[in-house]
Every structure is written in structure tokens, then in C-alpha cells.
Amino acid sequence: MKLTTAQALVRWMLAQRSETLDGREVPLFGGVFAIFGHGNVLGLGTALEEHRDEIPIWRGHNEQGMALAAVGYAKAAHRRQVGVATSSIGPGALNMVTAAGVAHANRLPLLLLPGDTFVSRAPDPVLQQVEHFADPGATVNDAFRAVSRYFDRVTRPEQLLSTLPQVARILTDPADCGPVTLALPQDVQAETYDFPEALFEPVTHRPVRPRPDRRSLTSAAAALRAARRPLLVLGGGVRYSGAGKRALDFAERHGIPVTETTAGRTLVPHDHPLHAGPLGITGSASANALAAEADVVLAVGTRLQDFTTASWTLFSPDVRLITVNAARFDAVKHGALAVVGDADAGLADLAAQLESWQVDPQWTARAAEERARWDAHIDTLRTPDGEGAPSYAQVVGVVNELSAPSDYVMTASGGLPGELIGGWRGSGTVSMDVEYGFSCMGYELAGAWGAAIGHPGGLVTTLLGDGSYLMLNSELFSAAFAGHPLVAVVCDNDGYAVIARLQEGQGGAPFNNFYADCRSSVESPPRVDFAAHAAALGCAVFPAVSIDDVRSAYAKARKAAVTEQRPAVVVVKTQPRKWTEAGAWWEVGVPPHLTGRPARDVGKDAQLRYLRP
């Protein structure tokens, strides 16, 4: 078939299918978020227009925002469908680099198709081209190499024959999943080639479930049998494998207390007797208490980020760490006994080796006991205290109370991740996206747009601070224009409050975080009218003052979003210095003069953080 490179790429995308975790067949590429410019409008843009009835094309208004929407879409689809984003060359392409970082850190599939300069170099330098004096082949798209799991610059049409199978592999592989960047020079996009028809035959990508090595399973089973106080930690890999039920059955069969990481949050019903709560500094004191006493930790599908491990201070230095992970890179961290394989298959095989082994019932009972204490603490935080503006915990409590099991809640940065991770009470459906792998301010709104497309079975609610709203709000208009319902709860605490908390809590002077501590030559600096701004972007808006107002406004916003098929925004002033504390420690670089203590022994600290094999 004689086609342009761009036409062949689009036809190949349309031929790719995916099998969801519940067995349905869907398009692998569920939609394209696009801003066209001189680097992609005539090549790829024309090819997409020819198939506009076969694949949705959504117009974005900021390249970072639309690529973040593609990330949110993939997360809501549990990595079984992929969002695509395309831009012109230059600033449009570079705007998408941040979104690639989000996808890379969170192990999420994303296909980026930035336009590129001319391979022929005949018209150089073209508009938006950055010239490198010693490397004429370098372009701004080389910036994607650091944040792409797979990068290729397509310099010949026939190059697609070898690179597209690799693109599909990365986007669908449980171990290597991440962002793919295909830089598309604008002259090559328009070049023709006789492509074999076999390239466009339908292919269905099914979940890959590699089974672990038997010897590693035998070693892991022996370590668990010797444990007196084992703890099961469930991460995002359990979600993407669809292994939530398997993990809970495993815990019930052997009586092991269960905790969740940020990416694994809401896998376990909140009130399950084995649920100890979420782990880490944004988690719960209940899970952290069990982690401190555990002698064996079985971590499934998690990369064990510092917020999950409290910079590796949660566990005893003598703990035995067992990891089940599809990615060997993650499985071998911190001297762990590595079981490399799919979460569902790995837990099934491990259970077969453990047979009727049971944990001491007293240790099993600790999960419910500790979580009951934590629940009582959260109840206290959610109770109005008559001290003016609502707290984050109170706002989250209202959203939690009024949400349905099929709904989807999101946040990404500032203080709200700690409130959602630590305080949310779910029913066991996977219903949360806290982007705390990259903690990207602005993901909350853009990602919610993508999630609203990828999670059609329930309403998406995103919670964010004033800082994140100001960082990236253009995709509210994109969602309103496209007709995608979602609710955004904007909590205005007058600055970057959570960083002020870190700054001042470690002895630093209040500086450049709260507006009151920022430099301004204006006697009465302005403040943003978030309600008016959101209304101007096409959203239904519901301001609130008290926590009772928040309850009423959120209920109205939910109804408006669904009936009017557009975003609804709740705006509320919140307390700037009230937080949910999990009682864990987080390592940051603190100058000695702020603490009055001598500089830390870095070598000794590093030894303590390497768990013995």
C-alpha cells in the first residue's frame, strides 16, 4: 500500500487492539490529544483527519496539559489503553517533556508524536528550530530521551517496519511499560513508501503474565514460613495485573495484615479486618506501626518509593524484604529476595508453596486494632471544630461521603495527597489516582480530563490547591469544550502551604511560599477569583465557605457535571496549617545551621537503608 509515513503510522495505530482485565477487546489507542502546528499539521494532521470517524481527536490548549490528559487516561484504563499526544516542533514539543516524566516515573504508557525539523536540512534553520553548533542532527526532541522508555527519530518511512513492534512492546509490557517518543521530521511525515499490508492487520495485545522462577518462589516461601510478623504491601503492579482479589485471598488464607502504597491505594476495602491502612509518610499511623514491627515484608508490584518507606526508616534494619515484581529492576532493590513475575501469577504460585501455613492470630488481629485507632483519629480531623475555614481533611471527608463506589478521585501535589492517601475510605474498587511518583502540579486538572474519558462508568472528582490550579488550568476549557463531565474541588489556602510547612518545620524562615511571605511592590497584592476564572473557562461553579457549604456545593456540582456534560468546580477557602499526620519521617537536605545539630554521617545512613538480603 503506497502511503505516507504519517498515513502508515495512523493505520497501524488503528489496527492495534487491547484486551482489558475483564476480557473485553478495545482499541489500544483510545484517542489522540492534538495541537497542530507547522511541524505536524500537514503530515500527521492530514492522516488523522482521514480517520477522524475511527479514532477520537481531542483538541488541547496546552501541550503539557493534553499530554498529561493522555497519562490520566492510561491510568484510568489500568494501562490497557494508551493516550496519544502530538505537537509541532520547538516549544510545543518541549511542553510535553514534563508529561513524559510523569508517565516514566509512574510506569504508565504514553505515545508522544512530536513534529521534528527536516531530515534533508535543506530549509534549515526552520521556524522554532534550535541549532546546535557542533551537532546539526540534534533537535529539541532529544530532550525526550531522558524521560522516554523508548525513543526513535523516524528518518525513513520504512523505519516504521522495525520500530512499531518495539513501540507496541513497550506500551503493553508490564515490566518495561512507560512513555514512547517517536520524533517525526516533517519532510519524512509526507514521504511515501510501499508498505506491506501485513503491517496493518489487526493485532490484539493481551495481558502478559510471566511466571516466577521456582527456586525464587521456594526461597520466598521458606522466608515467609519462618516469619512471626509478616506484612503484605500492595502496589500499583497489583492494580495493573488485576490481582487485587488474588492478593486479598492470599492475605485471608494465611492471615497476613495488608497495607497499600500510593499507587496501590483502594485495592483493599477499607473496613476489611486485614487492612492496616496505607503505608508511608502520606499514609497512616496504623500501617506504619505494623511496618516497624514486621520481620518479613512481602512487597508486591511496588517500586518502594521514599514516601512509601519514609526514606527507608519505616522498617526494622533486620527486616527480610521479599519483592514480587514484573520488572527485575524494581524486584532487586535494597537487597530484596526477588521474585520476578506477574503479581497475579506470582501470588498464586507462592500460595501453592505455602499450602496451609498460617500467621499467629494475635499478629493478624493487629491490623484491625491499629486501623481502628487511625479511623478514630481521622473521624476527629473530619469533625468541624468551629475554627473558621474548613480543613483539607474535612473537605476530603465530604467528597468521600458523597462519592459512589464507581466514582474516581484524583490529586497530585501539595498537601492533598496526604489527605486522600491517609484518609480515604474505599470499598475495594480501584478508584483513586494520586500522582505522587512525579508529583506534578497541574496534573490534577489535565489528568482529570483524561480520566473522565478513560473512566466512563463513574464520575471523576479531582482535588487540588490554588497553586496547582494556577500552574495549569487550560484543560478545564478543553474538557468543557469537548463535553466531558468531572468535578474539581479547588482548595485555596493562599499559597504553597505544604512547602511552607516543610520549610518552617525544618527551621527555615517563612519565605516565598505563602503570599504573605512573597515579595511584592503592591501595597495590597491581588488574589485570584477562582470562581470567576473557572466560569470563564466554561465550567459550572459552586463557591463554598463553611464545611456545610462544601457539602451542598459538591452535591450540586456532581449533579451539574453529569446533567450538563461539562466540568463543575467547587471553590473553597481552606485552613493553611492543618494536616493529617501519619507520624513518619521524610529525608530532605537540611543545612546543619537550621537544626543546630552536626551534619549527618551519610555513609552510616546509607548502610542502615540497605536491608540485609
Side-chain angles (χ1 to χ4, degrees), residues 218-590:
T218 300
S219 298
L224 280 169
R225 284 196 200 94
R228 296 177 56 210
R229 299 177 302 280
L231 185 66
L232 178 59
V233 179
L234 305 183
V238 177
R239 169 181 180 167
Y240 302 131
S241 172
K245 184 179 185 303
R246 176 83 65 186
L248 203 53
D249 289 347
F250 180 90
E252 291 170 346
R253 177 176 177 178
H254 304 294
I256 307 177
V258 184
T259 70
E260 301 163 313
T261 71
T262 299
R265 196 66 176 90
T266 68
L267 280 164
V268 182
H270 174 77
D271 58 359
H272 193 284
L274 290 175
H275 186 216
L279 192 66
I281 69 164
T282 52
S284 62
S286 53
N288 294 344
L290 267 68
E293 297 181 37
D295 57 355
V296 173
V297 171
L298 175 59
V300 185
T302 171
R303 64 194 184 107
L304 295 172
Q305 183 221 30
D306 70 331
F307 267 48
T308 298
T309 65
S311 296
W312 289 97
T313 62
L314 278 187
F315 307 124
S316 162
D318 296 323
V319 75
R320 186 71 182 273
L321 180 63
I322 305 169
T323 55
V324 178
N325 205 297
R328 190 170 191 85
F329 177 88
D330 292 314
V332 302
K333 289 177 178 175
H334 296 279
L337 196 168
V339 178
V340 181
D342 170 68
D344 191 77
L347 287 172
D349 291 350
L350 189 55
Q353 294 221 9
L354 289 170
E355 298 177 337
S356 60
W357 168 75
Q358 280 282 322
V359 175
D360 183 341
Q362 289 188 325
W363 174 249
T364 301
R366 284 286 305 282
E369 294 168 4
E370 293 290 346
R371 200 199 69 247
R373 294 190 186 96
W374 178 251
D375 286 350
H377 174 61
I378 295 297
D379 288 341
T380 300
L381 295 178
R382 288 182 173 185
T383 302
D385 52 17
E387 295 185 10
S391 67
Y392 274 7
Q394 291 163 2
V395 173
V396 168
V398 167
V399 174
N400 200 168
E401 173 191 336
L402 298 182
S403 292
S406 60
D407 289 345
Y408 196 80
V409 65
M410 303 177 60
T411 193
S413 61
L416 281 162
E419 307 298 330
L420 275 184
I421 298 167
W424 191 264
R425 296 170 180 174
S427 61
T429 57
V430 180
S431 56
M432 182 181 289
D433 175 7
V434 176
E435 195 290 286
Y436 227 35
F438 215 51
S439 186
C440 179
M441 293 181 69
Y443 175 80
E444 296 94 334
L445 293 175
W449 177 31
I453 302 171
H455 187 80
L459 183 63
V460 173
T461 293
T462 183
L463 294 99
L464 66 156
D466 50 300
S468 285
Y469 185 97
L470 290 173
M471 186 74 70
L472 185 60
N473 50 59
S474 56
E475 304 324 303
L476 267 180
F477 175 71
S478 300
F481 182 86
H484 293 131
L486 61 95
V487 177
V489 180
V490 181
C491 298
D492 179 8
N493 56 21
D494 221 33
Y496 300 141
V498 78
I499 293 300
R501 168 195 180 195
L502 173 64
Q503 182 183 58
E504 297 172 41
Q506 295 297 322
F511 177 61
N512 210 53
N513 286 309
F514 284 119
Y515 286 122
D517 303 318
C518 298
R519 181 172 182 170
S520 174
S521 58
V522 181
E523 183 176 345
S524 298
R527 294 292 190 272
V528 175
D529 186 337
F530 292 102
H533 187 271
L537 293 177
C539 303
V541 179
F542 302 90
V545 177
S546 68
I547 195 62
D548 288 337
D549 291 341
V550 173
R551 182 172 284 100
S552 174
Y554 182 62
K556 293 176 181 176
R558 290 177 59 87
K559 182 177 180 180
V562 174
T563 58
E564 300 174 23
Q565 291 293 287
R566 60 171 174 157
V569 178
V570 175
V571 179
V572 57
K573 274 278 189 183
T574 51
Q575 292 281 354
R577 298 187 183 275
K578 289 190 176 182
W579 313 98
T580 298
E581 299 276 4
W585 180 82
W586 171 34
E587 182 166 4
V588 293
V590 183

Side-chain angles (χ1 to χ4, degrees), residues 118-189:
F118 284 73
V119 167
S120 70
R121 301 185 192 164
D124 283 6
V126 299
L127 180 67
Q128 299 182 325
Q129 180 175 351
V130 173
E131 295 182 277
H132 292 260
F133 294 176
D135 187 358
T139 77
V140 297
N141 285 334
D142 289 288
F144 284 100
R145 293 180 185 272
V147 286
S148 296
R149 195 75 74 190
Y150 183 84
F151 176 94
D152 196 8
R153 179 173 281 112
V154 180
T155 57
R156 293 285 304 162
E158 58 267 36
Q159 193 174 326
L160 291 182
L161 300 176
S162 61
T163 203
L164 290 181
Q166 301 302 326
V167 170
R169 174 183 66 85
I170 294 294
L171 294 175
T172 61
D173 188 276
D176 293 340
C177 187
V180 170
T181 302
L182 291 183
L184 301 174
Q186 48 189 315
D187 50 348
V188 178
Q189 289 180 47

